[in-house]
Amino acid sequence: MICDAEDRGIQPILLHDVPPDAEATGLAQLLGMLLPLVADNDGSILIGRGRPRGTAPDDVDRDWHQLAIDRCADHEVDLLGFYLATGDGVFRLPEPLTAAS
């Protein structure tokens, strides 16, 4: 979800038919196109990654999450949250650690 300067959702973006074990390269390409535009408008983003089942993030989910954290930081765009959405529920992945942690 692309959000405005007040963190309100303004444009959902849906990638479908992404296999649960898909590498984060597709997300990297998408963020490479979107984040400069979001940054130019002082916006933010919210990301949800879907897969069929499970309640805990796996290594692929963690790779996607870290990529989102890193790319948003590179573009100075706030990542409002990264969620794992499955048939078992929706789960927020943790915030990135700060230097003070």
Side-chain angles (χ1 to χ4, degrees):
M1 173 71 72
I2 297 174
C3 301
D4 66 12
E6 273 100 45
D7 300 335
R8 296 177 298 212
I10 57 172
Q11 180 62 55
I13 297 175
L14 176 65
L15 301 176
H16 57 84
D17 298 329
V18 178
D21 61 347
E23 293 183 16
T25 54
L27 178 62
Q29 292 172 343
L30 177 63
L31 292 177
M33 292 183 291
L34 289 178
L35 290 176
L37 300 171
V38 174
D40 286 348
N41 292 289
D42 296 320
S44 56
I45 64 168
L46 178 65
I47 298 177
R49 173 168 156 63
R51 60 178 165 88
R53 300 179 282 291
T55 60
D58 61 19
D59 288 342
V60 174
D61 301 323
R62 285 187 283 276
D63 287 345
W64 281 54
H65 182 217
Q66 189 61 54
L67 180 114
I69 290 169
D70 294 344
R71 295 294 167 92
C72 286
D74 291 346
H75 291 277
E76 298 180 358
V77 170
D78 286 339
L79 176 60
L80 300 177
F82 189 103
Y83 292 83
L84 174 62
T86 75
D88 299 312
V90 178
F91 310 93
R92 184 181 179 116
L93 275 72
E95 297 296 320
L97 296 175
T98 65
S101 298

